[in-house]
Amino acid sequence: MKRALFFGKYCATAVLVLAAVSITMTAGAQKKKKGTTPSAAATTGLSKENIEAAINDAYNANKDSKEGKNADYIKELANVDPNIYGIALVTADGTVYTKGDLDSRVSIQSISKVFTLARVIEEHGAKYVMDKIGVDATGLRFNSIVAIELQKGKEINPLVNPGAIAAVSLVNGADSAAKWKNILQTHDEFAGADLQLNGPVYISEAGDNLRNQAIAHLLLAYGRMYFDPVQSTDVYTKQCAINVNARDLGIMAATLANGGVNPITKKKVVSPETTAFTLSVMATAGLYDDSGQWLYAVGLPAKSGVGGGIIAVCPGKFGIAVISPPLNAAGNSVKAQKTIYDIVKKLNVNPYLVQPK
Ligand code: DON
């Protein structure tokens, strides 16, 4: 059954906020017709002042929220400080705006699926990924076995666990060490940093990932696992344990916002075409079974991880990342969702929100 999360438990607030946005925009449009200035609530232009104000306001509005709970099915994640709260917005031309905790690092978890997917598309092409994995959203939980069964291994989606483990199995590399090296280097290039493995998180999950191993074996049975299932699951577990802070994630998101070129290092990581395909999958499946609700409210492709991070991408403009470990029932950070929602609303960058000419 579909639970409502960001817009379930928090449904009343969200509906009110959406209603308020719509009222503000209507009022703004009416004022404009009469020749007066548009409403201040709909900030236009990504000036330094506007971005800083949007980040500060969102930070202050959400900093005291205690909603959600750290993931604990990976035991080490329960020990992470739930008060970590960092924001980084990085523009496509490389200006970095930050607020809050930039020192603390958390494991990237499922956000890594984005960068491995991008690597596989870059290496093998978009059609190959569609044929070998599939790109339709499952609409089910991120580690659903039923989703595999329903499709007999087809359409397993690279941003949920089955498709992500299959993506690892497809990454270039003759053995698991070479695949891991390729994946880590891809993450490093997206971040423009020498990222490290979070050893305790990796050990904690690797010792307890029988469900993901079962997923990999079921895919093998359906002919949809393309490398050893135990080793693919292990490399997948490692990629999920890459440690990042909000700034690292913000730059990774900004590389996607900038057509695959890291705006800080200027290195081309993947092509603009690969980036576009990757963003499309983020839009349809980035927040798991809450992806529809997210896109409905925010309008930007995004990706969450159970470590507490979320990235969102405003193509051509900026990438944004927020880290806050407490999650809702779908496994998405409560505070990160709200923060990104607030910033996107304030900056008026939902690409679907267009005032008629
Ligand atoms: O495989 C897992 O369950 C984790 N390593 C990653 C899951 C995850 O991040 C889902 N997130 N929302």
Side-chain angles (χ1 to χ4, degrees):
M1 194 179 73
K2 183 108 179 82
R3 299 156 336 285
L5 303 157
F6 180 45
F7 301 115
K9 189 171 171 192
Y10 313 109
C11 186
T13 323
V15 169
L16 283 175
V17 174
L18 283 169
V21 172
S22 133
I23 289 162
T24 306
M25 297 316 296
T26 309
Q30 282 168 353
K31 274 185 191 170
K32 204 171 170 191
K33 272 183 197 152
K34 289 177 195 157
T36 53
T37 50
S39 162
T43 305
T44 45
L46 292 176
S47 67
K48 180 176 183 293
E49 294 70 29
N50 287 347
I51 292 174
E52 283 174 353
I55 292 175
N56 283 335
D57 288 356
Y59 181 87
N60 290 328
N62 294 296
K63 68 178 177 356
D64 298 324
S65 162
K66 298 283 176 219
E67 289 167 297
K69 189 171 163 296
N70 280 27
D72 56 7
Y73 78 100
I74 298 169
K75 295 187 181 53
E76 193 62 28
L77 296 185
N79 301 329
V80 175
D81 179 0
N83 298 312
I84 295 169
Y85 182 35
I87 306 174
L89 185 154
V90 183
T91 62
D93 57 7
T95 307
V96 180
Y97 299 89
T98 58
K99 180 86 186 168
D101 186 344
L102 279 302
D103 295 328
S104 299
R105 290 191 153 78
V106 299
S107 52
I108 189 168
Q109 296 299 338
S110 284
I111 304 173
S112 64
K113 292 166 178 165
V114 168
F115 307 105
T116 299
L117 167 63
R119 175 54 55 208
V120 176
I121 297 175
E122 186 76 1
E123 288 173 352
H124 301 288
K127 183 170 184 311
Y128 185 86
V129 167
M130 235 170 88
D131 292 346
K132 297 277 187 183
I133 302 177
V135 292
D136 277 338
T138 64
L140 293 169
R141 204 167 162 70
F142 62 82
N143 56 4
S144 172
I145 287 172
V146 171
I148 305 172
E149 274 304 291
L150 284 174
Q151 303 283 342
K152 302 279 178 268
K154 303 275 186 319
E155 295 302 341
I156 48 177
N157 196 288
L159 296 187
V160 291
N161 293 13
I165 301 170
V168 167
S169 79
L170 288 171
V171 153
N172 281 348
D175 54 23
S176 74
K179 284 181 187 292
W180 166 237
K181 191 170 170 218
N182 185 356
I183 287 172
L184 183 60
Q185 185 179 337
T186 299
H187 284 69
D188 283 354
E189 289 178 2
F190 268 102
D194 188 11
L195 300 174
Q196 304 295 317
L197 189 71
N198 183 324
V201 169
Y202 166 63
I203 289 164
S204 173
E205 188 173 3
D208 200 13
N209 65 357
L210 289 175
R211 188 182 179 92
N212 282 340
Q213 287 191 36
I215 285 172
H217 282 91
L218 188 54
L219 290 176
L220 184 69
Y222 283 123
R224 306 284 283 176
M225 177 58 46
Y226 309 100
F227 184 66
D228 178 83
V230 173
Q231 292 180 46
S232 298
T233 308
D234 186 57
V235 173
Y236 162 82
T237 306
K238 265 191 189 145
Q239 79 168 35
C240 289
I242 292 172
N243 238 4
V244 284
N245 61 22
R247 188 175 188 279
D248 296 326
L249 281 181
I251 295 171
M252 296 170 100
T255 302
L256 293 169
N258 190 38
V261 172
N262 184 314
I264 308 293
T265 64
K266 311 294 181 203
K267 180 173 176 55
K268 179 187 168 191
V269 185
V270 291
S271 71
E273 291 73 22
T274 291
T275 306
F277 287 118
T278 305
L279 290 171
S280 302
V281 188
M282 287 169 69
T284 51
L287 268 76
Y288 308 108
D289 38 329
D290 278 354
S291 300
Q293 293 183 18
W294 170 265
L295 198 63
Y296 187 67
V298 182
L300 295 184
K303 184 74 200 82
S304 61
V306 290
I310 298 185
I311 61 168
V313 177
C314 190
K317 296 194 169 117
F318 64 81
I320 183 168
V322 179
I323 293 178
S324 166
L327 312 177
N328 66 15
N332 299 318
S333 165
V334 176
K335 220 188 265 186
Q337 287 182 87
K338 288 181 167 185
T339 304
I340 296 172
Y341 173 82
D342 286 350
I343 292 171
V344 168
K345 180 160 68 79
K346 188 75 187 262
L347 293 175
N348 200 20
V349 287
N350 179 338
Y352 299 116
L353 181 58
V354 173
Q355 298 306 317
K357 304 211 182 335

